[in-house]
Amino acid sequence: MAKTKQSAKEFIQSTFPPMVAVMTSPAANEICLKNKLSFSELLQPFSKVQMEIHVREPSGTVAVLKELKLSISEWTTRPPQSMLARKYLNESVSQVTSSPSKTVKIGNRSIEVPISTPWFEHWRETFLKVQFPLDHEFTKHYISCFIGVSSNEDNLTGTLTFMNQELSQSINANANLANLPKWFGLNICKYYVMIHDTATVDATLAKTSFDTLKTFHGESNCFLLSINSQPTDPATLTPSVDHWASFITQRTNNMGVCVTELHFNVKTNQPLP
């Protein structure tokens, strides 16, 4: 039997992880881009949890989750169209180098037989990535959404109101089977992340904004993420592991195609033309 790189458990965990959407305000996205990352890319190294997680079910039973892996992506991400999907599938096979083989003797003949099928694994992985969400399955439906805002929003309440409205409209639009993205249900988990740039925003202002956020959405649903965008001289940096390198791909080669972006005027609370 051909050997595979993953066990059955690893394959299921990597192929069908819980889907988490990311919605970011323009101000929050601008902060992340100072480090050449989007908000969803910033979260990627934390998408796999090594410790045990205890989840209490509605019945009161505590379930233990081990090696939880999340799939985090922009809520505007869309699968590629069929022509582009075929291109990705063809490339996934053609780019695979020759695999190791072993010699099998059949009668008087010796035949080189591959001991694995890496081309199929690449094809399968690509196929599952480019596949459109199916209505009778929930493997590509978002169960949660991270809503990212900045600690120095011009109009924090207006920004939150607009983003919540956009999210609600998207969730309610699932009644139309053709609409994307797909959501697991009408009541998904929503978590609010306030991104605070310590290099440019005063800590007092950040605390005031975060208190406002907690007042509207509850302390247990709100989190403050402090980052530093202060430029540093490369010559003074100590070599370290880049935790984001393996998650960042060229945006022009992404499997998902972002067809819309969130643009709005936070002062008038209306979409920009």
Side-chain angles (χ1 to χ4, degrees), residues 13-84:
Q13 286 182 323
S14 62
T15 306
F16 306 110
M19 302 284 291
V20 178
V22 172
M23 176 184 284
T24 317
S25 72
N29 193 51
E30 183 179 348
I31 294 176
C32 296
L33 289 177
K34 292 180 181 179
N35 289 301
K36 298 181 175 59
L37 294 168
S38 66
F39 183 42
S40 61
E41 290 171 339
L42 184 67
L43 298 175
Q44 292 302 328
F46 311 100
S47 60
K48 188 172 183 179
V49 184
Q50 301 294 342
M51 66 182 69
E52 289 187 355
I53 299 176
H54 296 79
V55 180
R56 187 177 298 277
E57 299 177 354
S59 61
T61 305
V62 176
V64 179
L65 304 179
K66 298 181 179 180
E67 299 179 359
L68 176 65
K69 182 180 183 300
L70 302 175
S71 175
I72 303 174
S73 60
E74 299 286 345
W75 77 296
T76 52
T77 300
R78 301 291 185 271
Q81 296 300 318
S82 57
M83 291 295 293
L84 187 57

Side-chain angles (χ1 to χ4, degrees), residues 153-169:
E153 297 280 353
D154 292 335
N155 182 359
L156 179 60
T157 55
T159 300
L160 290 170
T161 299
F162 183 84
M163 296 178 75
N164 282 319
Q165 288 176 349
E166 285 285 290
L167 182 58
S168 296
Q169 290 174 7

Side-chain angles (χ1 to χ4, degrees), residues 195-211:
I195 306 171
H196 170 51
D197 186 355
T198 58
T200 59
V201 181
D202 182 71
T204 303
L205 175 61
K207 183 180 183 304
T208 302
S209 299
F210 188 55
D211 288 341

